Amino acid sequence: MPKGDNPIDAKIDEANAALKDKRTGETRVTIFRRGDRLHLKGTLPPKPHLPKDSPYQQTISLGKQHQASTLHPLLGSLLW
């Protein structure tokens, strides 16, 4: 199924637009799907155990199969 034909894509686009509106400083995050899993990709502060000093791009798997009903509780008050 092409990307635009899946109902979850409209929800992901909506969530990404809301995240873009809430961006502050160097922290930027977007949601995307890879297969049937949701991921976050963004510029985030370094993990405490790494010797990095500045934010860098990271990809985080949410470990969830994508469903339109998954996005709202997953992101909670951050977006809505």
Side-chain angles (χ1 to χ4, degrees):
M1 181 180 299
K3 182 180 186 265
D5 294 341
N6 194 316
I8 190 66
D9 292 324
K11 291 289 187 182
I12 290 173
D13 290 343
E14 179 184 334
N16 282 333
L19 283 168
K20 186 176 181 179
D21 289 342
K22 294 182 180 280
R23 285 183 182 165
T24 58
E26 295 184 26
T27 302
R28 297 181 297 275
V29 178
T30 57
I31 302 166
F32 70 97
R33 67 180 173 100
R34 186 179 291 158
D36 66 348
R37 302 288 177 182
L38 295 176
H39 295 75
L40 296 177
K41 187 171 198 167
T43 304
L44 303 168
K47 298 171 186 172
H49 65 280
L50 295 179
K52 297 185 180 218
D53 293 331
S54 59
Y56 67 102
Q57 190 173 43
Q58 300 177 53
T59 300
I60 301 169
S61 173
L62 298 177
K64 301 275 185 185
Q65 290 185 326
H66 70 274
Q67 298 174 359
S69 61
T70 312
L71 283 180
H72 189 278
L74 186 64
L75 300 174
S77 62
L78 178 63
L79 300 177
W80 292 277

